[in-house]
Amino acid sequence: MALGKALIDADGVRHEMAGLLGLVTSYAQRKMHLGYRRATLLAPMGGVEAGAALTGHEFHYSTILDQPDAPLANVTDAEGTAVPETGSYRGRVSGSFFHMIAATP
């Protein structure tokens, strides 16, 4: 979120962030996102090549209001259902709510 454009706090006040990504998130419209995830990277991330499959989890209470940058990964839940929290990237900057546990063979 800190890499994004803005964060809306629980009182609805907008706070400008670093602006390295176009992401705008909101705590005013809270929704819990929790569960195991499988992500197949569409772009490299932290030394991991595009196309790599990763296993991890997601845990956050914010809602994405705007995510104009390219998606970072195709992401599914533990049952294989696609989830909208794909992360994003712009140039060499990437961000995601996905917390990697391990590369998936």
Coordinates of all heavy atoms in Angstrom, one line a residue:
M1 N 0.8 -1.2 0.0 CA 0.0 0.0 0.0 C 0.9 1.3 0.0 O 0.5 2.2 -0.6 CB -0.9 0.0 1.2 CG -2.0 -1.0 1.1 SD -3.2 -1.0 2.4 CE -2.6 -2.2 3.5
A2 N 2.0 1.2 0.7 CA 2.9 2.4 0.8 C 3.4 2.7 -0.6 O 3.7 3.9 -0.8 CB 4.0 2.2 1.8
L3 N 3.6 1.7 -1.5 CA 4.1 2.0 -2.8 C 3.0 2.6 -3.7 O 3.4 3.1 -4.8 CB 4.6 0.7 -3.4 CG 5.9 0.1 -2.7 CD1 6.2 -1.3 -3.4 CD2 7.0 1.0 -2.8
G4 N 1.8 2.5 -3.3 CA 0.7 2.9 -4.2 C 0.5 4.4 -4.2 O 1.3 5.2 -3.6
K5 N -0.6 4.8 -4.9 CA -0.9 6.2 -5.0 C -1.5 6.8 -3.8 O -1.1 7.9 -3.3 CB -1.8 6.4 -6.2 CG -2.1 7.9 -6.5 CD -2.9 7.9 -7.8 CE -3.2 9.4 -8.2 NZ -4.0 9.5 -9.4
A6 N -2.4 6.1 -3.2 CA -3.1 6.7 -2.0 C -3.7 5.6 -1.2 O -4.0 4.5 -1.6 CB -4.2 7.6 -2.4
L7 N -4.0 5.9 0.1 CA -4.7 5.0 1.1 C -5.8 5.9 1.7 O -5.5 7.0 2.1 CB -3.7 4.5 2.1 CG -4.3 3.6 3.2 CD1 -3.4 2.4 3.4 CD2 -4.4 4.4 4.5
I8 N -7.0 5.3 1.8 CA -8.1 6.0 2.4 C -8.2 5.3 3.8 O -8.4 4.1 3.9 CB -9.4 5.7 1.6 CG1 -9.2 6.0 0.2 CG2 -10.5 6.5 2.3 CD1 -8.8 7.4 -0.2
D9 N -8.1 6.1 4.9 CA -8.2 5.6 6.2 C -9.6 5.2 6.6 O -10.5 5.5 5.9 CB -7.4 6.4 7.2 CG -8.1 7.8 7.5 OD1 -9.4 7.9 7.3 OD2 -7.4 8.7 8.0
A10 N -9.8 4.7 7.8 CA -11.1 4.2 8.3 C -12.1 5.4 8.4 O -13.3 5.1 8.3 CB -10.9 3.5 9.7
D11 N -11.6 6.6 8.5 CA -12.5 7.8 8.6 C -12.8 8.4 7.2 O -13.5 9.4 7.1 CB -11.9 8.8 9.5 CG -11.8 8.4 10.9 OD1 -12.7 7.7 11.4 OD2 -10.7 8.7 11.6
G12 N -12.3 7.7 6.2 CA -12.5 8.2 4.8 C -11.5 9.3 4.4 O -11.7 9.9 3.3
V13 N -10.5 9.6 5.1 CA -9.5 10.6 4.8 C -8.4 10.0 3.9 O -7.9 8.9 4.1 CB -8.8 11.2 6.0 CG1 -7.7 12.2 5.7 CG2 -9.9 11.8 7.0
R14 N -8.2 10.7 2.8 CA -7.2 10.2 1.8 C -5.8 10.6 2.1 O -5.6 11.8 2.5 CB -7.6 10.7 0.4 CG -6.7 10.3 -0.7 CD -7.1 11.0 -2.1 NE -6.2 10.6 -3.1 CZ -6.4 9.8 -4.1 NH1 -7.5 9.1 -4.1 NH2 -5.5 9.5 -5.0
H15 N -4.9 9.7 2.1 CA -3.5 10.0 2.4 C -2.6 9.6 1.1 O -2.7 8.4 0.7 CB -3.0 9.2 3.6 CG -3.8 9.4 4.8 ND1 -3.5 10.5 5.7 CD2 -4.9 8.8 5.3 CE1 -4.4 10.5 6.7 NE2 -5.2 9.5 6.5
E16 N -1.9 10.5 0.6 CA -1.1 10.2 -0.6 C 0.1 9.4 -0.1 O 0.7 9.6 1.0 CB -0.5 11.5 -1.2 CG -1.7 12.4 -1.7 CD -2.5 11.7 -2.8 OE1 -2.0 11.0 -3.7 OE2 -3.8 11.8 -2.7
M17 N 0.4 8.4 -0.9 CA 1.5 7.4 -0.6 C 2.7 7.7 -1.6 O 2.7 8.8 -2.2 CB 1.0 6.0 -0.7 CG 0.0 5.6 0.2 SD 0.6 5.4 1.9 CE -0.1 6.7 2.8
A18 N 3.6 6.8 -1.8 CA 4.8 7.0 -2.6 C 4.5 7.2 -4.1 O 5.2 7.9 -4.8 CB 5.7 5.8 -2.4
G19 N 3.4 6.7 -4.6 CA 3.0 6.9 -6.0 C 3.8 6.1 -7.0 O 3.7 6.4 -8.2
L20 N 4.6 5.1 -6.5 CA 5.3 4.2 -7.5 C 4.4 3.3 -8.2 O 4.8 2.8 -9.3 CB 6.4 3.5 -6.7 CG 7.5 4.4 -6.1 CD1 8.4 3.6 -5.2 CD2 8.2 5.2 -7.1
L21 N 3.3 2.9 -7.7 CA 2.2 2.2 -8.3 C 1.0 3.0 -8.3 O 0.8 3.9 -7.4 CB 2.0 0.8 -7.6 CG 3.2 -0.2 -7.6 CD1 2.9 -1.3 -6.7 CD2 3.4 -0.7 -9.0
G22 N 0.0 2.7 -9.1 CA -1.2 3.4 -9.2 C -2.3 3.0 -8.2 O -3.4 3.5 -8.1
L23 N -2.0 2.0 -7.3 CA -2.9 1.4 -6.4 C -3.5 2.4 -5.4 O -2.8 3.2 -4.8 CB -2.1 0.3 -5.6 CG -2.9 -0.5 -4.5 CD1 -3.9 -1.4 -5.2 CD2 -2.0 -1.2 -3.6
V24 N -4.8 2.3 -5.2 CA -5.5 3.1 -4.2 C -6.3 2.1 -3.4 O -7.1 1.3 -3.9 CB -6.5 4.1 -4.8 CG1 -7.2 4.9 -3.7 CG2 -5.7 5.1 -5.7
T25 N -6.0 2.1 -2.1 CA -6.7 1.1 -1.2 C -7.5 1.9 -0.1 O -7.2 3.1 0.2 CB -5.7 0.2 -0.5 OG1 -4.7 1.0 0.2 CG2 -5.0 -0.7 -1.4
S26 N -8.5 1.2 0.5 CA -9.3 1.8 1.5 C -9.6 1.0 2.7 O -9.9 -0.2 2.6 CB -10.7 2.1 0.8 OG -11.6 2.6 1.8
Y27 N -9.4 1.6 3.9 CA -9.8 1.0 5.1 C -11.2 1.4 5.5 O -11.8 0.9 6.4 CB -8.8 1.3 6.2 CG -7.6 0.4 6.2 CD1 -6.4 0.9 5.6 CD2 -7.6 -0.9 6.6 CE1 -5.3 0.2 5.5 CE2 -6.5 -1.7 6.5 CZ -5.3 -1.1 6.0 OH -4.2 -1.9 5.9
A28 N -11.7 2.4 4.8 CA -13.1 2.9 5.1 C -14.1 1.8 4.6 O -15.2 1.7 5.1 CB -13.4 4.2 4.4
Q29 N -13.7 1.1 3.5 CA -14.5 0.0 3.0 C -13.8 -1.3 3.3 O -13.3 -2.0 2.4 CB -14.7 0.2 1.5 CG -15.4 1.4 1.1 CD -15.5 1.6 -0.4 OE1 -15.4 0.7 -1.1 NE2 -15.7 2.9 -0.8
R30 N -13.8 -1.7 4.6 CA -13.0 -2.8 5.0 C -13.7 -4.1 4.6 O -14.9 -4.3 4.7 CB -12.9 -2.8 6.6 CG -12.0 -1.8 7.0 CD -11.9 -1.8 8.5 NE -11.4 -3.0 9.1 CZ -10.5 -3.1 10.0 NH1 -10.0 -2.0 10.5 NH2 -10.1 -4.3 10.4
K31 N -12.8 -5.1 4.2 CA -13.3 -6.4 3.9 C -12.1 -7.3 4.2 O -11.0 -7.1 3.7 CB -13.7 -6.5 2.4 CG -14.2 -7.9 2.1 CD -14.6 -8.0 0.6 CE -15.0 -9.5 0.3 NZ -15.2 -9.7 -1.1
M32 N -12.3 -8.4 4.9 CA -11.3 -9.3 5.2 C -11.0 -10.2 4.0 O -11.9 -10.8 3.4 CB -11.6 -10.2 6.4 CG -10.4 -11.0 6.8 SD -10.5 -11.8 8.4 CE -11.5 -13.2 8.1
H33 N -9.7 -10.3 3.7 CA -9.2 -11.2 2.6 C -8.2 -12.1 3.3 O -7.2 -11.7 3.8 CB -8.5 -10.4 1.5 CG -9.4 -9.4 0.9 ND1 -10.1 -9.6 -0.3 CD2 -9.6 -8.1 1.2 CE1 -10.8 -8.6 -0.6 NE2 -10.5 -7.6 0.3
L34 N -8.5 -13.4 3.4 CA -7.7 -14.4 4.1 C -7.7 -15.7 3.4 O -8.8 -16.2 3.0 CB -8.3 -14.5 5.5 CG -7.8 -15.6 6.4 CD1 -6.3 -15.3 6.8 CD2 -8.6 -15.8 7.7
G35 N -6.6 -16.3 3.3 CA -6.5 -17.6 2.7 C -5.2 -18.0 2.0 O -4.4 -17.1 1.8
Y36 N -5.1 -19.2 1.7 CA -3.9 -19.7 1.0 C -4.1 -19.3 -0.5 O -5.2 -19.3 -1.0 CB -3.7 -21.2 1.1 CG -3.3 -21.6 2.5 CD1 -4.1 -22.1 3.4 CD2 -1.9 -21.3 2.9 CE1 -3.7 -22.4 4.7 CE2 -1.5 -21.6 4.2 CZ -2.4 -22.2 5.1 OH -2.0 -22.5 6.3
R37 N -3.0 -19.0 -1.2 CA -3.0 -18.6 -2.6 C -1.9 -19.3 -3.4 O -0.9 -19.7 -2.8 CB -2.8 -17.1 -2.7 CG -3.8 -16.2 -1.9 CD -5.2 -16.3 -2.5 NE -6.1 -15.4 -1.8 CZ -7.1 -15.7 -1.1 NH1 -7.3 -17.0 -0.8 NH2 -7.8 -14.8 -0.5
R38 N -2.2 -19.5 -4.6 CA -1.2 -19.9 -5.6 C -1.1 -18.8 -6.6 O -2.1 -18.4 -7.2 CB -1.6 -21.2 -6.3 CG -0.6 -21.7 -7.3 CD -1.1 -23.0 -7.9 NE -0.3 -23.3 -9.1 CZ 0.7 -24.2 -9.1 NH1 1.0 -24.8 -8.1 NH2 1.4 -24.4 -10.2
A39 N 0.1 -18.4 -6.9 CA 0.3 -17.3 -7.8 C 1.3 -17.7 -8.9 O 2.3 -18.3 -8.6 CB 0.9 -16.0 -7.1
T40 N 0.9 -17.4 -10.1 CA 1.8 -17.7 -11.3 C 2.2 -16.3 -11.8 O 1.4 -15.5 -12.2 CB 1.1 -18.5 -12.4 OG1 0.7 -19.7 -11.8 CG2 2.1 -18.8 -13.5
L41 N 3.5 -16.0 -11.6 CA 4.0 -14.6 -11.9 C 3.9 -14.3 -13.4 O 4.3 -15.1 -14.2 CB 5.4 -14.5 -11.4 CG 5.7 -14.5 -9.9 CD1 7.2 -14.3 -9.6 CD2 4.9 -13.4 -9.2
L42 N 3.4 -13.1 -13.7 CA 3.3 -12.6 -15.0 C 4.5 -11.7 -15.3 O 4.8 -11.3 -16.4 CB 2.0 -11.8 -15.2 CG 0.8 -12.6 -15.1 CD1 -0.5 -11.7 -15.1 CD2 0.7 -13.7 -16.1
A43 N 5.2 -11.3 -14.2 CA 6.4 -10.5 -14.3 C 7.4 -10.9 -13.2 O 6.9 -11.5 -12.2 CB 6.1 -9.0 -14.1
P44 N 8.7 -10.7 -13.4 CA 9.6 -11.1 -12.3 C 9.3 -10.3 -11.0 O 8.8 -9.2 -11.1 CB 11.0 -10.8 -12.9 CG 10.7 -9.8 -14.0 CD 9.3 -10.0 -14.5
M45 N 9.6 -10.9 -9.9 CA 9.4 -10.3 -8.6 C 10.5 -10.7 -7.6 O 10.6 -11.9 -7.4 CB 8.1 -10.7 -8.0 CG 7.8 -10.2 -6.7 SD 6.2 -10.8 -6.0 CE 6.7 -12.4 -5.5
G46 N 11.3 -9.8 -7.2 CA 12.3 -10.1 -6.1 C 13.2 -11.2 -6.5 O 13.5 -12.1 -5.6
G47 N 13.7 -11.3 -7.7 CA 14.6 -12.3 -8.1 C 14.0 -13.6 -8.6 O 14.7 -14.6 -8.9
V48 N 12.6 -13.7 -8.6 CA 11.9 -14.8 -9.0 C 11.4 -14.5 -10.5 O 10.9 -13.5 -10.7 CB 10.7 -15.2 -8.1 CG1 10.0 -16.4 -8.6 CG2 11.2 -15.4 -6.7
E49 N 11.7 -15.4 -11.4 CA 11.4 -15.2 -12.8 C 9.9 -15.2 -13.1 O 9.1 -15.9 -12.4 CB 12.0 -16.3 -13.7 CG 13.6 -16.3 -13.6 CD 14.1 -15.0 -14.2 OE1 13.6 -14.5 -15.3 OE2 15.1 -14.5 -13.7
A50 N 9.5 -14.5 -14.1 CA 8.1 -14.6 -14.6 C 7.8 -16.0 -15.0 O 8.7 -16.7 -15.5 CB 7.9 -13.7 -15.8
G51 N 6.6 -16.5 -14.7 CA 6.2 -17.9 -15.0 C 6.3 -18.8 -13.8 O 5.8 -19.9 -13.8
A52 N 7.0 -18.4 -12.8 CA 7.2 -19.2 -11.6 C 5.9 -19.3 -10.9 O 5.1 -18.4 -10.8 CB 8.2 -18.6 -10.7
A53 N 5.6 -20.5 -10.3 CA 4.4 -20.7 -9.5 C 4.8 -20.6 -8.1 O 5.8 -21.3 -7.6 CB 3.8 -22.1 -9.8
L54 N 4.1 -19.9 -7.3 CA 4.4 -19.6 -5.9 C 3.2 -20.0 -5.0 O 2.1 -19.8 -5.4 CB 4.7 -18.2 -5.6 CG 5.8 -17.6 -6.5 CD1 5.9 -16.1 -6.3 CD2 7.1 -18.2 -6.3
T55 N 3.5 -20.5 -3.8 CA 2.4 -20.8 -2.9 C 2.6 -19.8 -1.7 O 3.7 -19.5 -1.3 CB 2.6 -22.3 -2.4 OG1 2.4 -23.1 -3.5 CG2 1.5 -22.6 -1.3
G56 N 1.5 -19.3 -1.2 CA 1.6 -18.4 -0.1 C 0.2 -18.1 0.5 O -0.7 -19.0 0.4
H57 N 0.1 -17.0 1.2 CA -1.2 -16.6 1.8 C -1.4 -15.2 1.7 O -0.5 -14.4 1.4 CB -1.2 -17.1 3.3 CG -0.3 -16.3 4.2 ND1 -0.7 -15.2 4.8 CD2 1.0 -16.6 4.5 CE1 0.4 -14.7 5.5 NE2 1.4 -15.5 5.3
E58 N -2.7 -14.8 1.9 CA -3.1 -13.4 1.8 C -3.8 -13.1 3.1 O -4.6 -13.9 3.6 CB -4.0 -13.2 0.6 CG -4.6 -11.8 0.5 CD -5.6 -11.7 -0.7 OE1 -5.9 -12.8 -1.3 OE2 -6.0 -10.6 -1.0
F59 N -3.6 -11.9 3.7 CA -4.2 -11.5 4.9 C -4.2 -10.0 5.0 O -3.2 -9.4 5.1 CB -3.6 -12.1 6.1 CG -4.2 -11.6 7.4 CD1 -5.4 -12.2 7.9 CD2 -3.7 -10.6 8.1 CE1 -5.9 -11.8 9.1 CE2 -4.2 -10.1 9.3 CZ -5.4 -10.8 9.8
H60 N -5.4 -9.4 4.7 CA -5.5 -8.0 4.9 C -7.0 -7.6 5.0 O -7.9 -8.4 4.7 CB -4.8 -7.2 3.7 CG -5.4 -7.5 2.4 ND1 -6.4 -6.7 1.8 CD2 -5.3 -8.5 1.5 CE1 -6.7 -7.1 0.6 NE2 -6.1 -8.2 0.4
Y61 N -7.2 -6.4 5.5 CA -8.6 -5.9 5.7 C -9.0 -4.7 4.7 O -10.0 -4.2 4.9 CB -8.7 -5.4 7.1 CG -8.8 -6.5 8.1 CD1 -7.7 -6.7 8.9 CD2 -9.9 -7.2 8.3 CE1 -7.7 -7.7 9.9 CE2 -10.0 -8.2 9.3 CZ -8.8 -8.5 10.1 OH -8.9 -9.5 11.0
S62 N -8.1 -4.4 3.8 CA -8.4 -3.2 3.0 C -9.1 -3.7 1.7 O -9.1 -4.8 1.4 CB -7.1 -2.5 2.6 OG -6.3 -3.3 1.9
T63 N -9.7 -2.7 1.0 CA -10.3 -2.9 -0.3 C -9.6 -2.2 -1.3 O -9.2 -1.0 -1.1 CB -11.8 -2.4 -0.2 OG1 -12.5 -3.1 0.8 CG2 -12.5 -2.6 -1.5
I64 N -9.3 -2.8 -2.5 CA -8.7 -2.1 -3.6 C -9.7 -1.3 -4.3 O -10.8 -1.8 -4.8 CB -8.1 -3.1 -4.5 CG1 -6.9 -3.9 -3.8 CG2 -7.5 -2.4 -5.8 CD1 -6.4 -5.0 -4.6
L65 N -9.5 0.0 -4.4 CA -10.4 0.9 -5.1 C -10.0 1.1 -6.6 O -10.8 1.3 -7.5 CB -10.5 2.3 -4.4 CG -11.0 2.3 -3.0 CD1 -11.0 3.7 -2.4 CD2 -12.4 1.6 -2.9
D66 N -8.7 1.1 -6.8 CA -8.1 1.3 -8.1 C -6.8 0.6 -8.2 O -5.9 0.7 -7.3 CB -7.9 2.8 -8.4 CG -7.7 3.1 -9.9 OD1 -8.0 2.3 -10.7 OD2 -7.2 4.2 -10.2
Q67 N -6.6 -0.1 -9.3 CA -5.3 -0.8 -9.5 C -5.1 -0.8 -11.1 O -5.3 -1.7 -11.8 CB -5.4 -2.3 -9.0 CG -4.2 -3.0 -9.1 CD -4.3 -4.4 -8.4 OE1 -4.6 -4.5 -7.3 NE2 -4.0 -5.4 -9.2
P68 N -4.6 0.4 -11.6 CA -4.5 0.6 -13.0 C -3.2 -0.1 -13.6 O -3.2 -0.1 -14.9 CB -4.4 2.1 -13.1 CG -3.7 2.6 -11.9 CD -4.3 1.6 -10.8
D69 N -2.3 -0.5 -12.8 CA -1.1 -1.1 -13.4 C -1.3 -2.5 -13.9 O -2.3 -3.1 -13.5 CB 0.1 -1.0 -12.4 CG 0.3 0.4 -12.0 OD1 0.5 1.3 -12.8 OD2 0.4 0.7 -10.7
A70 N -0.3 -3.0 -14.6 CA -0.4 -4.4 -15.1 C -0.4 -5.4 -13.9 O 0.2 -5.2 -12.9 CB 0.8 -4.7 -16.0
P71 N -1.2 -6.5 -14.0 CA -1.2 -7.5 -12.9 C 0.1 -8.2 -12.8 O 0.8 -8.5 -13.8 CB -2.3 -8.5 -13.4 CG -2.6 -8.2 -14.8 CD -2.1 -6.8 -15.1
L72 N 0.5 -8.4 -11.6 CA 1.7 -9.1 -11.2 C 1.7 -10.6 -11.4 O 2.6 -11.2 -11.9 CB 2.2 -8.8 -9.8 CG 3.4 -9.5 -9.3 CD1 4.6 -9.0 -10.1 CD2 3.6 -9.1 -7.8
A73 N 0.5 -11.2 -11.1 CA 0.4 -12.6 -11.2 C -1.1 -13.0 -11.5 O -2.0 -12.3 -11.2 CB 0.8 -13.2 -9.9
N74 N -1.3 -14.3 -11.9 CA -2.6 -14.9 -11.9 C -2.6 -15.6 -10.6 O -1.8 -16.4 -10.2 CB -2.7 -15.9 -13.0 CG -2.8 -15.3 -14.4 OD1 -3.4 -14.2 -14.6 ND2 -2.1 -15.9 -15.4
V75 N -3.7 -15.3 -9.8 CA -3.8 -15.8 -8.4 C -5.1 -16.5 -8.2 O -6.1 -16.1 -8.6 CB -3.7 -14.6 -7.4 CG1 -3.7 -15.1 -6.0 CG2 -2.4 -13.8 -7.6
T76 N -5.0 -17.7 -7.6 CA -6.1 -18.5 -7.2 C -6.1 -18.8 -5.7 O -5.1 -18.8 -5.1 CB -6.2 -19.8 -8.0 OG1 -5.0 -20.6 -7.7 CG2 -6.2 -19.6 -9.5
D77 N -7.3 -19.1 -5.2 CA -7.4 -19.5 -3.8 C -7.0 -21.0 -3.7 O -6.7 -21.7 -4.7 CB -8.7 -19.2 -3.2 CG -9.9 -20.0 -3.8 OD1 -9.7 -21.0 -4.5 OD2 -11.0 -19.5 -3.6
A78 N -7.2 -21.6 -2.5 CA -6.8 -23.0 -2.3 C -7.7 -24.0 -3.1 O -7.2 -25.1 -3.4 CB -6.9 -23.3 -0.8
E79 N -8.8 -23.5 -3.5 CA -9.7 -24.4 -4.3 C -9.6 -24.2 -5.8 O -10.3 -24.8 -6.6 CB -11.2 -24.2 -3.9 CG -11.4 -24.6 -2.4 CD -12.8 -24.3 -2.0 OE1 -13.5 -23.6 -2.7 OE2 -13.1 -24.7 -0.8
G80 N -8.7 -23.3 -6.2 CA -8.4 -23.0 -7.6 C -9.3 -21.9 -8.2 O -9.2 -21.7 -9.5
T81 N -10.0 -21.2 -7.4 CA -10.9 -20.1 -7.9 C -10.0 -18.8 -8.0 O -9.3 -18.5 -7.1 CB -12.1 -19.9 -6.9 OG1 -12.8 -21.1 -6.8 CG2 -13.0 -18.8 -7.5
A82 N -10.1 -18.2 -9.1 CA -9.4 -16.9 -9.3 C -9.8 -15.9 -8.3 O -11.0 -15.8 -8.0 CB -9.5 -16.4 -10.8
V83 N -8.8 -15.1 -7.8 CA -9.1 -14.0 -6.9 C -8.7 -12.7 -7.6 O -7.7 -12.7 -8.4 CB -8.4 -14.2 -5.5 CG1 -9.0 -15.4 -4.8 CG2 -6.9 -14.3 -5.7
P84 N -9.3 -11.6 -7.3 CA -9.0 -10.3 -8.0 C -7.8 -9.7 -7.5 O -7.2 -8.8 -8.1 CB -10.2 -9.5 -7.7 CG -10.8 -10.0 -6.5 CD -10.5 -11.5 -6.5
E85 N -7.2 -10.1 -6.3 CA -6.0 -9.4 -5.8 C -4.8 -10.0 -6.4 O -4.2 -11.0 -5.9 CB -6.0 -9.6 -4.2 CG -7.0 -8.9 -3.5 CD -8.4 -9.6 -3.5 OE1 -8.4 -10.8 -3.7 OE2 -9.4 -8.9 -3.3
T86 N -4.5 -9.5 -7.6 CA -3.4 -10.1 -8.4 C -2.0 -9.4 -8.2 O -1.0 -9.8 -8.7 CB -3.7 -9.8 -9.9 OG1 -3.8 -8.4 -10.2 CG2 -5.0 -10.5 -10.3
G87 N -2.0 -8.4 -7.3 CA -0.8 -7.6 -7.2 C -0.6 -6.8 -8.5 O -1.4 -6.9 -9.5
S88 N 0.4 -5.9 -8.6 CA 0.6 -5.2 -9.8 C 2.1 -4.8 -10.0 O 2.8 -4.9 -9.0 CB -0.3 -3.9 -9.8 OG 0.0 -3.1 -8.7
Y89 N 2.4 -4.4 -11.2 CA 3.8 -3.9 -11.3 C 3.8 -2.8 -12.3 O 2.9 -2.6 -13.2 CB 4.7 -5.0 -11.8 CG 4.6 -5.5 -13.2 CD1 5.4 -5.0 -14.2 CD2 3.6 -6.4 -13.6 CE1 5.3 -5.4 -15.5 CE2 3.5 -6.8 -14.9 CZ 4.3 -6.3 -15.8 OH 4.2 -6.8 -17.1
R90 N 4.8 -1.9 -12.2 CA 5.1 -0.8 -13.1 C 6.6 -0.7 -13.2 O 7.2 -0.3 -12.2 CB 4.4 0.5 -12.6 CG 4.6 1.7 -13.5 CD 4.2 3.0 -12.8 NE 2.8 3.0 -12.6 CZ 2.2 4.0 -12.0 NH1 2.9 5.0 -11.4 NH2 0.9 4.0 -11.8
G91 N 7.1 -1.0 -14.3 CA 8.6 -1.0 -14.5 C 9.2 -2.0 -13.5 O 8.9 -3.2 -13.5
R92 N 10.1 -1.5 -12.7 CA 10.8 -2.4 -11.7 C 10.1 -2.5 -10.4 O 10.6 -3.2 -9.5 CB 12.2 -2.0 -11.5 CG 13.1 -2.1 -12.8 CD 14.5 -1.8 -12.5 NE 15.3 -2.2 -13.6 CZ 16.6 -2.1 -13.6 NH1 17.2 -1.5 -12.5 NH2 17.3 -2.6 -14.6
V93 N 9.0 -1.8 -10.2 CA 8.3 -1.8 -8.9 C 7.1 -2.8 -9.0 O 6.4 -2.8 -9.9 CB 7.8 -0.4 -8.6 CG1 7.0 -0.3 -7.3 CG2 8.9 0.6 -8.6
S94 N 7.0 -3.6 -7.9 CA 5.9 -4.5 -7.8 C 5.4 -4.5 -6.4 O 6.1 -4.2 -5.5 CB 6.3 -5.9 -8.3 OG 7.3 -6.5 -7.4
G95 N 4.1 -4.8 -6.3 CA 3.5 -4.9 -5.0 C 2.3 -5.9 -5.0 O 1.7 -6.1 -6.0
S96 N 2.1 -6.5 -3.8 CA 1.1 -7.5 -3.7 C 0.7 -7.7 -2.3 O 1.5 -7.4 -1.4 CB 1.6 -8.8 -4.3 OG 0.7 -9.9 -4.1
F97 N -0.5 -8.2 -2.0 CA -0.9 -8.6 -0.7 C -0.5 -10.1 -0.5 O -0.8 -10.6 0.6 CB -2.5 -8.5 -0.5 CG -2.9 -7.1 -0.5 CD1 -3.6 -6.5 -1.5 CD2 -2.7 -6.3 0.6 CE1 -4.1 -5.2 -1.5 CE2 -3.1 -5.0 0.7 CZ -3.8 -4.4 -0.4
F98 N 0.1 -10.7 -1.4 CA 0.5 -12.1 -1.4 C 1.8 -12.2 -0.6 O 2.7 -11.5 -0.9 CB 0.7 -12.6 -2.8 CG 1.2 -14.0 -3.0 CD1 0.3 -15.0 -2.9 CD2 2.5 -14.3 -3.2 CE1 0.7 -16.3 -3.0 CE2 2.9 -15.5 -3.4 CZ 2.1 -16.6 -3.3
H99 N 1.8 -13.1 0.4 CA 3.0 -13.4 1.2 C 3.5 -14.8 0.8 O 2.8 -15.8 1.1 CB 2.7 -13.3 2.7 CG 2.1 -12.0 3.1 ND1 2.9 -11.0 3.4 CD2 0.8 -11.6 3.2 CE1 2.1 -9.9 3.7 NE2 0.9 -10.3 3.6
M100 N 4.6 -14.8 0.1 CA 5.1 -16.1 -0.4 C 5.6 -17.0 0.7 O 6.3 -16.6 1.6 CB 6.3 -15.8 -1.4 CG 6.8 -17.1 -2.0 SD 8.0 -16.9 -3.3 CE 9.4 -16.4 -2.3
I101 N 5.3 -18.3 0.6 CA 5.8 -19.3 1.5 C 6.9 -20.1 0.8 O 7.9 -20.3 1.3 CB 4.6 -20.2 2.0 CG1 3.6 -19.4 2.8 CG2 5.2 -21.4 2.8 CD1 2.4 -20.2 3.1
A102 N 6.6 -20.5 -0.5 CA 7.5 -21.3 -1.2 C 7.2 -21.3 -2.7 O 6.1 -21.1 -3.1 CB 7.5 -22.8 -0.7
A103 N 8.3 -21.6 -3.5 CA 8.1 -21.9 -4.9 C 7.4 -23.2 -5.0 O 7.6 -24.1 -4.3 CB 9.4 -21.9 -5.6
T104 N 6.4 -23.3 -6.0 CA 5.7 -24.5 -6.2 C 6.3 -25.3 -7.4 O 6.5 -24.7 -8.5 CB 4.2 -24.2 -6.5 OG1 3.7 -23.4 -5.5 CG2 3.4 -25.5 -6.6
P105 N 6.6 -26.5 -7.2 CA 7.3 -27.3 -8.3 C 6.3 -27.5 -9.5 O 5.1 -27.4 -9.3 CB 7.7 -28.6 -7.7 CG 7.0 -28.7 -6.3 CD 6.5 -27.3 -6.0

